[in-house]
Amino acid sequence: MLNTTLNIIPKPFHVRMPGGFLTYPLQAPAVKKHDPSLPREGYLLSVSGDGVTAACSSDAGYFYASQTLRQLRRQFGTALPFLTLLDKPRFPYRAFMIDCARHFFSVSELKRMIDAAAMFKFNIFHWHLTNDQGWRADLPGLPELREKGSVRTHSNFGRVYDPTSYGGCYSADEMREIVSYCRERFIEVVPEFDLPGHVSALLHVYPELACGQRPVELKATGGIFKDILCAGNSDTLPVLFKIFDGFCDIFDGPYIHIGGDEVPKNRWRDCPDCQAKIASLGLKNEEELQGWLMNQVAGYLREKGKISVAWNESLRGGNLDGDIISQMWMEKGTLSADRANTGHALIVSDFYHHYMDYPYGMTPLKKVYLFDPLIDGLTPVGAENVIGIDTPIWTEHVRDFERMGYQCYPRFIAVAERVWSTEGSRDYKDFRSRLKKVIPALDSLVPYASEREWDPNPVQRVSQTVSFFARSGNAEMMRNMKE
């Protein structure tokens, strides 16, 4: 019998329920059985008169079987239905991202978000640690980044102005604690050091790395700012490599995100050093210069055993190294699809469906759920190279944990099912029915939006969206972006 009654999210690959029940203690784990024929993250959960067993080929598979068993217990208590449940993920890369640069969140708050994500079988925590508004990683041997780069003078995001200084920085021990906490839940941490744009906090510490060596202040607003790393400065790469040494010392997973988004080229066009670098390398333009810079960083990380991830703007020069994983969030053309079609890995973070800092009126739950990550323009080869989804919560307008939980849940849960379950199982009515039964499991863990807020009506959608954008900008932000 196909699964039509079990309140499980993500929806399992296949379920057979022959009838009958087993009385099983609430705290008793499933008996683990090794089965090398199953996929690394897959499992076969069986409930019969002989007990509960979880066959798997890895500890990750057993962990996911245990999460499914937890949901079964919430629904059935100690009387579990006889079943055979075969499950495996559709995509290997199932990520959620938290921006801690604009607003800072404590280790305990991050752990609660990690626990919620683990419940729904996410396996990547993309940790956005640096941006124009603050540097959040206290790296070994680089105390000046914490001392000068982590505290801004005030905050002025949209219509919310706070005249007091704002800061926060994770110690090396705290970051290692998060890495360990995630690994116990079979989640890899992917730290992001965003470059060559969104670096005001870094340039505030090292102004000599800005074009013209001009002083740069930490930003107190959102926006895209013209001051970026000087690619023609011979000191830039050595400083970057030293910073990445610190990241590699703390984060021992396979991936590091090197940014690459929203890089205005105004300074590079006016910079003699950057223009000389373009000429000496035989590059055509500033977009190729960005590709060259990203390749230098990725090459250094490759030697340290790391795989680099970069936002899709880094593809514009046409010269990005093939082993850099591209992450698509927004583009007018088909660069991301074309890259996947030629055999390169792609992560999808579609702005209109996966950005959770926007109101439910702009991105309702149904819209999130129905989006398929196989974007337009993909060939069958390209579809095979889509490795998964990364769903971000940017925090310019998310100042506290209550708001972050509300923005993310239950929309993160919709993403979790889309990235785990088969495309053929997509049924929003069925998902919403299961969600209403499953979401109370978050009551003591993270805040979440109430059911009446998940899918606003058309009038509410327009009102919420217009209101959000009306509140998002301010004069200081516009002035800073013009400088």
Side-chain angles (χ1 to χ4, degrees), residues 449-469:
S450 65
E451 183 184 355
R452 62 181 175 79
E453 298 171 291
W454 297 349
D455 290 297
N457 64 43
V459 173
Q460 291 171 325
R461 290 193 61 182
V462 171
S463 174
Q464 288 183 25
T465 303
V466 170
S467 177
F468 175 83
F469 283 104

Side-chain angles (χ1 to χ4, degrees), residues 179-201:
V179 170
S180 177
Y181 194 82
C182 283
R183 188 148 295 155
E184 291 170 358
R185 290 149 182 80
F186 296 89
I187 294 173
E188 288 288 349
V189 180
V190 179
E192 181 177 359
F193 166 22
D194 201 353
L195 64 95
H198 288 301
V199 289
S200 298

Side-chain angles (χ1 to χ4, degrees), residues 330-372:
M330 182 188 289
E331 65 181 10
K332 294 181 180 179
T334 60
L335 287 177
S336 295
D338 294 343
R339 184 171 172 88
N341 292 342
T342 55
H344 306 293
L346 174 67
I347 300 164
V348 175
S349 299
D350 185 79
F351 169 83
Y352 298 102
H353 298 86
H354 297 144
Y355 274 45
M356 300 311 173
D357 39 307
Y358 292 91
Y360 281 81
M362 179 174 167
T363 314
L365 183 65
K366 184 176 183 179
K367 182 180 179 181
V368 175
Y369 183 80
L370 292 179
F371 180 77
D372 187 77

Side-chain angles (χ1 to χ4, degrees), residues 138-270:
D138 189 5
L139 302 175
L142 295 163
E144 62 273 18
L145 289 171
R146 179 196 72 247
E147 293 164 358
K148 292 188 64 177
S150 68
V151 181
R152 58 180 179 257
T153 58
H154 65 286
S155 300
N156 191 13
F157 294 99
R159 294 185 182 177
V160 179
Y161 178 80
D162 184 346
T164 61
S165 63
Y166 184 95
C169 197
Y170 301 100
S171 70
D173 285 344
E174 286 175 323
M175 290 184 285
R176 290 190 179 99
E177 183 180 348
I178 290 294
V179 170
S180 177
Y181 194 82
C182 283
R183 188 148 295 155
E184 291 170 358
R185 290 149 182 80
F186 296 89
I187 294 173
E188 288 288 349
V189 180
V190 179
E192 181 177 359
F193 166 22
D194 201 353
L195 64 95
H198 288 301
V199 289
S200 298
L202 179 66
L203 296 179
H204 180 64
V205 180
Y206 305 120
E208 65 273 16
L209 301 185
C211 292
Q213 300 187 359
R214 49 183 279 150
V216 177
E217 293 299 317
L218 270 75
K219 300 300 185 286
T221 72
I224 303 171
F225 305 102
K226 294 178 182 178
D227 284 311
I228 64 177
L229 284 165
C230 181
N233 187 333
S234 60
D235 293 330
T236 295
L237 284 175
V239 172
L240 295 183
F241 294 163
K242 186 175 182 180
I243 290 171
F244 278 113
D245 284 344
F247 274 98
C248 291
D249 179 65
I250 293 168
F251 298 98
D252 57 359
Y255 306 104
I256 289 187
H257 205 301
I258 59 176
D261 65 316
E262 298 179 327
V263 185
K265 304 300 191 299
N266 309 63
R267 298 283 189 252
W268 283 0
R269 284 192 287 269
D270 297 334

